[in-house]
Amino acid sequence: MPFAIYVPFYPGHEPNLIFSREGDITDYDAYLALADDAASAAVFDIEVPSDGPVIDAGCGGGRWLLRLHQRGRRMIGVDLFEPVLQQIHRQAPAVPLVRAVIATLPFRSASLAAVVSLGVVEHNEAGPDDALREFARVLRPGGRLLVSVPYDNLVRRFVVNHLYRRYNTPWAGRGYYFVEYRFQRHEILAALERSGFRPLSWHPHDLKPPRSVGLVADLNMLGIRFEQRDGALHLHVPPNRGWKLNGWRGWAARLLPRVSPWLTAAEILVVAEKAGGPA
């Protein structure tokens, strides 16, 4: 089973402070530049086709959407959160944008050359299968899917997960609510296969050292808490620190990826092909 992450937020309300921090980006150039600093950047250049429409399903602030658009791909951004779509439109008005739920996409069956979906399908507590099957529906036979999900790396399995089990998981449904699953490689590959895909390759998806989305995200998620201010409860979400750590944490962010990039990788990026394409 993928490892479930629970964090505190107001019951019955979308935890917008967690999911929607890309809706108000102050330095958009720096935000876009992080794509070039990703260890997996070359995978997108090689694997995303240029001979048909491509959607970024759950495009967020549009980092990868605009990077691929600038490289000649016929990109369409899809997101449910209106502020991020408005922000992208201000930056790149020529890029088509659609407000939609990824599990019910407004595209014809077998109409797309590729789907890119990064850090999205893990947020459904029922699992990723509904979204993955919808991606298979809209892709043409042999179409490409580039999907990333949080990776249950060794640091998480041997250290971080135990902290979640001790401090967060016992409160599931009582102030702490589901946010995402973290997957081992075999778990996401199995989900893709049962949804109509043939996995082709997989890659660690994180920033190049000394930045580390994986380590910073773990520290931040463990640091999310309620604070009493002005007579009311407020959800405190730590800053992302520019994805850079200092002190011994900074040394870990530099040294562990040298042993293996998989040790601290924030996500696993899988390239898959829709079944039924040419051999």
Side-chain angles (χ1 to χ4, degrees), residues 7-21:
V7 300
F9 63 84
Y10 297 109
H13 291 50
E14 179 73 11
N16 288 326
L17 287 175
I18 300 171
F19 292 148
S20 306
R21 286 193 284 177

Side-chain angles (χ1 to χ4, degrees), residues 57 78-80 98-106 134-135:
V78 180
D79 205 282
L80 184 61
V98 176
R99 186 171 186 266
V101 177
I102 61 168
T104 54
L105 292 168
E134 182 68 353
F135 297 161

Side-chain angles (χ1 to χ4, degrees), residues 44 48 64-73 75 116:
F44 294 84
V48 178
W64 292 97
L65 172 72
L66 298 191
R67 185 180 191 274
L68 291 165
H69 169 75
Q70 292 164 358
R71 284 160 172 75
R73 290 357 184 247
M75 299 300 299
V116 175

Side-chain angles (χ1 to χ4, degrees), residues 94-118:
V95 177
L97 302 171
V98 176
R99 186 171 186 266
V101 177
I102 61 168
T104 54
L105 292 168
F107 300 98
R108 297 192 310 274
S109 297
S111 62
L112 302 178
V115 173
V116 175
S117 188
L118 308 175

Side-chain angles (χ1 to χ4, degrees), residues 128-254:
D129 293 41
D130 287 349
L132 294 177
R133 283 194 290 265
E134 182 68 353
F135 297 161
R137 181 189 69 80
V138 298
L139 280 169
R140 67 193 184 191
R144 285 294 165 92
L145 171 65
L146 280 76
V147 63
S148 75
V149 292
Y151 181 56
D152 201 10
N153 60 51
L154 286 178
V155 170
R156 287 171 172 169
R157 274 185 267 167
F158 286 100
V159 180
V160 177
N161 291 357
H162 296 288
L163 297 176
Y164 277 110
R165 288 190 185 99
R166 180 171 181 178
Y167 296 110
N168 289 27
T169 306
W171 292 92
R174 296 183 293 157
Y176 283 65
Y177 293 85
F178 174 81
V179 170
E180 68 182 28
Y181 287 115
R182 292 177 173 178
F183 294 77
Q184 296 184 43
R185 185 182 68 182
H186 69 91
E187 292 168 335
I188 185 59
L189 296 186
L192 286 163
E193 289 169 352
R194 65 177 176 259
S195 300
F197 288 98
R198 182 170 67 93
L200 301 175
S201 64
W202 39 90
H203 314 267
H205 187 54
D206 206 324
L207 296 173
K208 299 171 186 174
R211 289 171 169 160
S212 174
V213 175
L215 291 175
V216 172
D218 286 331
L219 290 170
N220 282 0
M221 293 287 250
L222 286 167
I224 294 171
R225 63 187 183 276
F226 288 123
E227 291 181 337
Q228 188 82 31
R229 296 197 310 270
D230 304 322
L233 281 176
H234 298 270
L235 183 64
H236 168 78
V237 181
N240 64 23
R241 304 182 180 93
W243 305 119
K244 194 172 182 179
L245 296 167
N246 297 314
W248 68 267
R249 296 178 181 87
W251 282 106
R254 290 176 174 86

